[in-house]
Amino acid sequence: VEEDGSNVTCTDLARFTLFLDNLTCPFIQVTGNLQCGCPTKPVGLNCTLCADGSFSGGSKFDNVVVSVEEDGSNFTCGDLAIFVAFFDNVTCPIFQVTGNLLCGCPTKP
């Protein structure tokens, strides 16, 4: 959902990626994988929110608030799943603990 309240569809994301550079595109591809059901994960995806890789878009935990940002916006489990995607094997387990405790992940890292 955009700031103006309009919804962004998976088709919108697919069209948007046509204009992205190689640095930005993978982040949109992670969103496509998690939220739109794209069957393959983007290259370079090193970390999943759940240690067993089970978190996916449409989860009942997508909108669970993990933290509130300085601007007052909510940072959700769905946001966190995208945020952690490119973390390395050292940093990833730290966030997977949050996934287990707050976002419904069935296994601990």
Side-chain angles (χ1 to χ4, degrees):
V1 177
E2 293 293 304
E3 288 182 22
D4 67 0
S6 63
N7 289 322
V8 176
T9 67
C10 293
T11 301
D12 294 334
L13 280 177
R15 289 181 184 139
F16 182 64
T17 59
L18 296 174
F19 304 100
L20 298 177
D21 58 42
N22 290 340
L23 295 175
T24 309
C25 190
F27 291 99
I28 301 300
Q29 289 174 328
V30 169
T31 302
N33 179 255
L34 292 171
Q35 301 294 329
C36 299
C38 295
T40 57
K41 294 179 180 167
V43 174
L45 182 66
N46 300 317
C47 181
T48 57
L49 182 57
C50 294
D52 67 354
S54 65
F55 190 91
S56 60
S59 163
K60 66 181 178 180
F61 296 97
D62 274 355
N63 295 318
V64 170
V65 176
V66 176
S67 69
V68 178
E69 302 299 305
E70 288 180 16
D71 67 359
S73 63
N74 292 332
F75 193 76
T76 65
C77 291
D79 297 328
L80 187 59
I82 295 167
F83 181 71
V84 303
F86 297 94
F87 285 169
D88 60 30
N89 292 337
V90 174
T91 308
C92 185
I94 296 167
F95 288 92
Q96 287 176 334
V97 169
T98 300
N100 178 253
L101 294 174
L102 299 177
C103 299
C105 296
T107 58
K108 295 177 183 176

